[in-house]
Each structure stands twice: as C-alpha cells, then as structure tokens.
Amino acid sequence: MSVKFAVLGHGVVGSGVVELFYKNKNSIEKRAGTEMDVKYILDLREFPDSPYADKFTKNFDDILNDDEVTAVAECMGGVEPAFTFVKACLEKGKSVSTSNKELVAEKGDILLQAAKEHNCNFFFEASVGGAIPIIRPLHRCLAANDITKIAGILNGTTNFILTKMYNENMAFADALSLAQQLGYAEKDPTADVEGHDACRKICILSSLVYGKHVYPSSVYTKGISDVELCDVAAADVLGYAIKLVASVTKLENGKILPSVMPTLVSYDNIMSGVNDVFNAVLVYADGVDKTMFYGRGAGKLPTASAVLGDVIEAVKHNVTVFSQSWESVEDNSFVESIDSYKSRWYFRVPVNTVIEDVETYEHENGISFVISNELTFAEAKAKAEKLNAVAFIPVME
C-alpha cells in the first residue's frame, strides 16, 4: 500500500519539501516502512514548467475529500487560511505536519485537541529551529527530566545582523540591508528584528514543556533595533557577546517567566559563539544539567528536512502521540510578569554617571557602560530612568 500525502503551499519551504522528498524518496520510504508519494500540491499560482505540474491544484477540497490522502504538510505560513485548512484536515483524520510557527503559537492548543479527537497527529518540529531537532527531544528524549529553563537563539536573521556588527563593525542598518540582500531578512523585517518571530517560538517551547498554551501577547518581547555598535564594542571588552535570547524559566511559585530580549551572553557560555544564521537552544534540566541543540534555524532544505521528518513520523503512527500536546487556557495567569525577572544588567549611561559595585568600561565617545548587581526588571527599569540610561540589557553568564 502506498501512502499519499499533500503539500499546502509551494513557496520556499513547500517547494523544498517536494524537492527533498523526490531526491531521497527511496531512503524516506525505507524509514517510513511503506511506499509514499505526493498526490497534491496546493497553490494559487501556476507552475507549468515544474516537473510536478500534474500534481498542482488550486482547490483545497480536492485534498480534503480524497480519502487516499492521509498526511498533509502545511507550508503556507500565517494564521489564515492555514488554520481553517489544517483544522479541516485533522477533523477528517488526516495528520498534519507544519513549519508555521505563527499558527502553532496562536492556535496550537485547538489543533492538538482536534488531532486527539480524530485519532491523528499535529506535528510541528519545523516550527522552531528549522533543521534542529528540539520539539521531539523535549517531549521524548528528555521526558524523565524536570526542565527548569530553556534559553535560545531562535532567530537566524537577528543573529546574522549582530554577528556582522561584532565581526565587521557594521552598523545595524547596513547589516540589516545585507541580510535582506542575501535573503535572510524579509522586505519587511519587523517580525525578526523586533523579536516577534523568536517570541512565537519560545511560546511553542513553553507550551510544550509546561503543558499550558502560552500566548505571544503575554510574553515580554524586545528586539535588537536599539542595539548600537558602541554596545557591541563595550560588551566585547566586558567579556560578552550580545545575542537576541528567547528564554523561559520555571519559578518556585509554579509560574513560568518567558521573555525575548537582547542579552549580554558571557564568553564562558557556549551560546556566545553561535554566529551568523545558526540557532541554538540550551535546555536546563535536573537529570542532564544542561544540553544544547545547534544547527541551521531556517532555510529551504533545512526546514523541509524537519517537515518531512514529521510526515514520516505521521505515516508511522496510527494513533495520536499524546506527549506532544498542551492544554488550552482562558488566560495566561500562570505566566509571571516581566517585572520580577532577575539578572545583572548592562546600562549605557552619560560618561560621569556613578553606580556603586559595578564593572565599568568607558567608551571613547564619552559614554559609560556599566554592569550592575542583580536587579529585577522593574528595579533595572527604574534605575535606567534615574540614570538617564539610553539602554539597559540583561546579562547571562
């Protein structure tokens, strides 16, 4: 018996899924334990020169109503119409694998429940970290652990920009322009540089590990657009690299504290050396201490690799994988306010500002850069206002 699956969307990721499937078809079928083929590719555009031109359809109902199609790869992006299409597939008992982090972050709880009710699966390994295996390790390989914290570089675009600022003394605007020229950043880079993309990904990881849906609106998110070359230079002298870090910590009061912020990462921390478009995720847990997952976080074939891995997984499972799930919640009252976030803090302040008990680096342009003792976010914000600080950034050892 041959398993038929469909691909929704033939953009960068969707075309990569089809390309990689036919490139490695024999080995994929061996790992899946059955013959497989792509029956439909859904896209509103015309692809007359494609070697798979006969597989294209513009009508979603062709896929939905074909009982031969038992698995679907969703590569459209955005919440709608992806949500409507995915939910309909799951309600028909068709397992869905997606790379769509916005969909999972906003509607994951609903889609996981639909999969459970119709004895199929909603898989989303590709939604966080591209080719990096992180979703499955969290709910399977590390299932025996109490996971106390996750911290990661989850956006390759911002990491590329910060690397260029550090290595080549390139201004933020110039580094962003280069990222756009190379295809790492969109024409509208807001989702990347303002941290929204990383926020969606830490929401997915938080929901999976701690069992309740975490909405992006409840996560404090700050991007890298205010980071300047003087901050990068000062951080280097002080022994740190600036990275956009998405993290979530389990607190003693039972709540969790997720956030996305530019962060000074100590050179003693392996994550400080993660550069260019690469991603890394550090997992802190009682059984393993800490472990890191590293690799290409985006791109056509790396993301397609993760999507197809999930398609293979879906083909091999005829029941719902319950460990990959979380509960719906009416509110995010279990998410702690950012005000209680504790860290040492870096401040960029006027040159003669005096703060007690700090390391100080005086930059040549007359600005002082200081690192404080441990403060809560609320205390650091108040201190920044009192000192007329232009920037305050947490420190990660």
Side-chain angles (χ1 to χ4, degrees), residues 152-223:
I153 297 169
L154 299 179
N155 182 270
T157 301
T158 51
N159 206 42
F160 175 83
I161 291 170
L162 290 169
T163 300
K164 288 298 178 184
M165 293 174 73
Y166 179 83
N167 287 341
E168 300 180 26
N169 202 36
M170 190 177 290
F172 170 82
D174 295 333
L176 171 57
S177 178
L178 178 60
Q180 290 172 319
Q181 292 172 34
L182 295 173
Y184 298 146
E186 301 288 342
K187 184 176 180 181
D188 179 0
T190 303
D192 291 324
V193 300
E194 298 303 335
H196 305 311
D197 176 78
C199 173
R200 292 165 186 150
K201 293 171 181 176
I202 199 63
C203 284
I204 294 168
L205 298 182
S206 301
S207 301
L208 180 65
V209 170
Y210 299 113
K212 295 181 180 179
H213 191 87
V214 178
Y215 294 96
S217 59
S218 68
V219 179
Y220 177 81
T221 302
K222 182 174 176 57

Side-chain angles (χ1 to χ4, degrees), residues 69-73 89-90 93-97 119-123 310 314-315 317 319:
V69 176
T70 58
V72 174
C89 287
L90 295 171
K94 303 177 192 291
S95 291
V96 177
S97 306
N119 200 36
C120 55
N121 282 289
F122 178 57
F123 288 142
D310 275 349
V315 167
H317 284 86
V319 293

Side-chain angles (χ1 to χ4, degrees), residues 98 100-108 122 124 204 213 326:
T98 184
N100 190 340
K101 60 260 186 183
E102 188 175 2
L103 175 67
V104 183
E106 294 287 352
K107 303 289 187 179
F122 178 57
F124 43 90
I204 294 168
H213 191 87
W326 56 78

